[in-house]
Amino acid sequence: MSVDKRLPADKIDHFRRDLGLPLDFRTSWVHNYPQHFRVVKSEDDQEYLELVSWNPAWAITELEKKVLGVTDPIPKTPGMLLLPFPLKFPSNYKKVYRYGGKIEHFQKRSYLSPYVDARGLKAGSLEFDKRAVAVMHELLSFTIEKKLFTDHLTHFRWEFVMPQKLMRLLLKHFGIFYVSERGKRFSVFLTEAYEGSELLEKNPFVLWK
């Protein structure tokens, strides 16, 4: 989903545990999959994890798989999507009924797939914001516990074409995301993946932990 099909290795370190990547992902692990990845260095000697080649079968989102019942990914050209995001509201949702119309309008609006190059979108536009929600949904779907620290996410604003005020976007769409504060750090959760505080589908890593 990154604009250049590569990410700074130092930034991936922040997500390593959340994605289930091994400690040596940039050394021995990446060499086990040379058909997919390679580590390259930039002119300033920064390491990047780069995608060697793109597989069109990867262009289907986790939401598409769930809604359309896709089990075996098929090659496709990513484009516009018109799939509503699963919503799960807090218990006091009835007190904020004034948002109902805005939520319905947002859900019915088409949006660019996270796998489409979005550098041409205008920051702050309705199209830009909805695609950003789609990217966040996809990122959280890939994580072991369907959650991430928000301060780590801000490091990837440029790579994933995300808004500068990411926290505002997450809080605005509280039916899709849930933001929690512990200590001085904020975490964002995918609401559909939880029933209260219980993760519904537990990854083997979660069960082991």
Side-chain angles (χ1 to χ4, degrees):
M1 292 187 290
S2 65
V3 291
D4 294 324
K5 300 294 185 290
R6 68 177 190 173
L7 292 172
D10 288 341
K11 292 184 179 182
I12 297 176
D13 275 328
H14 296 305
F15 283 161
R16 185 182 62 78
R17 292 179 183 273
D18 301 298
L19 295 172
L21 291 173
L23 184 62
D24 63 348
F25 77 90
R26 68 170 85 187
T27 55
S28 61
W29 179 83
V30 73
H31 294 303
N32 291 332
Y33 304 95
Q35 72 276 25
H36 297 315
F37 308 109
R38 65 186 171 202
V39 174
V40 298
K41 285 190 176 182
S42 61
E43 293 180 358
D44 59 356
D45 212 35
Q46 184 177 8
E47 286 189 340
Y48 287 84
L49 182 64
E50 188 173 77
L51 198 62
V52 172
S53 61
W54 174 252
N55 184 345
W58 296 336
I60 185 166
T61 65
E62 295 301 300
L63 182 57
E64 288 178 275
K65 293 176 187 177
K66 184 176 294 185
V67 173
L68 303 177
V70 176
T71 54
D72 297 319
I74 55 175
K76 59 168 289 189
T77 301
M80 298 298 291
L81 297 176
L82 189 55
L83 296 174
F85 296 97
L87 300 174
K88 189 174 288 186
F89 295 101
S91 56
N92 64 342
Y93 171 64
K94 291 182 180 179
K95 297 178 183 179
V96 289
Y97 61 87
R98 63 184 179 277
Y99 291 115
K102 292 181 179 179
I103 292 172
E104 184 177 356
H105 179 70
F106 174 83
Q107 289 282 60
K108 290 181 178 179
R109 190 187 309 142
S110 58
Y111 56 96
L112 269 180
S113 166
Y115 298 102
V116 173
D117 190 333
R119 277 176 284 200
L121 287 181
K122 183 180 179 181
S125 66
L126 297 176
E127 295 79 9
F128 182 92
D129 286 349
K130 184 147 189 185
R131 181 203 172 264
V133 169
V135 171
M136 274 301 311
H137 188 281
E138 188 76 347
L139 280 174
L140 288 169
S141 295
F142 290 151
T143 62
I144 292 173
E145 296 185 80
K146 306 299 182 281
K147 68 174 183 177
L148 288 170
F149 285 120
T150 57
D151 54 347
H152 290 170
L153 284 167
T154 58
H155 298 164
F156 291 93
R157 283 198 300 260
W158 185 85
E159 287 86 357
F160 292 131
V161 193
M162 300 285 276
Q164 195 165 23
K165 297 180 179 179
L166 183 58
M167 180 65 82
R168 179 183 294 181
L169 182 79
L170 299 175
L171 292 173
K172 180 180 179 181
H173 297 285
F174 56 90
I176 303 171
F177 311 115
Y178 174 73
V179 178
S180 172
E181 180 182 10
R182 177 173 292 184
K184 294 184 179 181
R185 302 192 73 180
F186 289 89
S187 296
V188 57
F189 296 75
L190 198 58
T191 58
E192 68 192 75
Y194 284 82
E195 189 62 54
S197 60
E198 185 73 14
L199 183 62
L200 296 176
E201 296 181 13
K202 295 181 174 62
N203 183 282
F205 279 108
V206 175
L207 295 174
W208 175 82
K209 184 178 177 181

